[in-house]
Amino acid sequence: MRHNKKFNHLGRKKGHRDALLMNLTISLIMHKRINTTLAKAKALRIYAEPLITRSKTDDMTNRRLVFSYLQNKEAVKELFGVVAEKVAERPGGYTRILKTGHRLGDNAEMAMIELVDFNENMLEAAGGKKEKSTRRSRRKKSAAPAEAAAPVAEAPEAPAAEEAPKAE
């Protein structure tokens, strides 16, 4: 039974799983986009996003903690430099998973996981579409037409109420 197992074990023991996620995270940080299976991509998102959140505050404690997870100086430098600058204003959701179909050999679901702020094509598309979202109401509009009809009836009286200029 799977009671109290909250994450995907990926068919590996703890040491192997940690090494796999560490290497996937390093590749994601260095290349900004990787192709892997859907299950690994979902597990990677859970592993990598807290590390990216830590990189937003650049101090020795966070650098050491992230290095303990990654064990790669170049990846830590890239994470706290280039990646942290891009995600500084973002409150979360630093990665995007896009399904790419099935693998030919074993029919495994494949996915591409990428850092959201580094996809230039989607940033341009989102930048041009900034539309104001409006809220829709479910109330009846029966009262509004009755009120709109009343000012139309008063319209002929408006020109007769013109005032002459006052002399001072």
Side-chain angles (χ1 to χ4, degrees):
M1 285 188 253
R2 290 197 71 246
H3 295 306
N4 249 357
K5 294 188 179 180
K6 304 231 184 242
F7 60 94
N8 192 346
H9 292 268
L10 299 172
R12 292 161 172 82
K13 299 202 175 182
K14 184 181 179 355
H16 189 186
R17 186 173 53 248
D18 288 344
L20 170 76
L21 292 173
M22 176 179 67
N23 288 326
L24 285 173
T25 305
I26 291 168
S27 296
L28 179 65
I29 291 168
M30 299 305 283
H31 298 106
K32 314 301 188 264
R33 174 184 301 155
I34 58 173
N35 291 314
T36 184
T37 62
L38 183 62
K40 287 179 190 173
K42 288 180 178 180
L44 175 61
R45 179 175 51 193
I46 294 168
Y47 188 86
E49 291 212 1
L51 298 179
I52 297 172
T53 302
R54 286 219 175 255
S55 73
K56 290 164 75 171
T57 7
D58 189 7
D59 59 352
M60 189 58 67
T61 306
N62 285 336
R63 278 188 181 262
R64 285 181 174 172
L65 200 139
V66 169
F67 182 76
S68 73
Y69 280 92
L70 295 183
Q71 298 291 315
N72 188 319
K73 287 182 185 178
E74 289 79 23
V76 172
K77 188 186 296 183
E78 180 83 9
L79 180 62
F80 278 89
V82 178
V83 176
E85 287 176 13
K86 289 258 190 170
V87 300
E89 298 87 30
R90 185 174 290 276
Y94 312 110
T95 57
R96 175 186 296 128
I97 297 175
L98 300 170
K99 295 180 182 178
T100 57
H102 295 277
R103 188 160 50 198
L104 192 58
D106 59 355
N107 206 26
E109 279 189 286
M110 297 300 289
M112 178 179 66
I113 182 168
E114 64 183 1
L115 295 175
V116 171
D117 293 316
F118 289 91
N119 189 341
E120 300 300 327
N121 296 331
M122 287 206 170
L123 287 177
E124 290 174 5
K129 286 186 179 178
K130 288 202 173 186
E131 295 179 7
K132 183 179 176 184
S133 63
T134 59
R135 293 181 62 184
R136 294 178 60 184
S137 175
R138 293 180 180 246
R139 286 182 250 157
K140 287 186 177 180
K141 301 287 183 179
S142 60
E147 293 173 4
V152 174
E154 295 174 2
E157 298 174 7
E162 292 181 12
E163 293 182 19
K166 295 181 180 179
E168 293 181 13

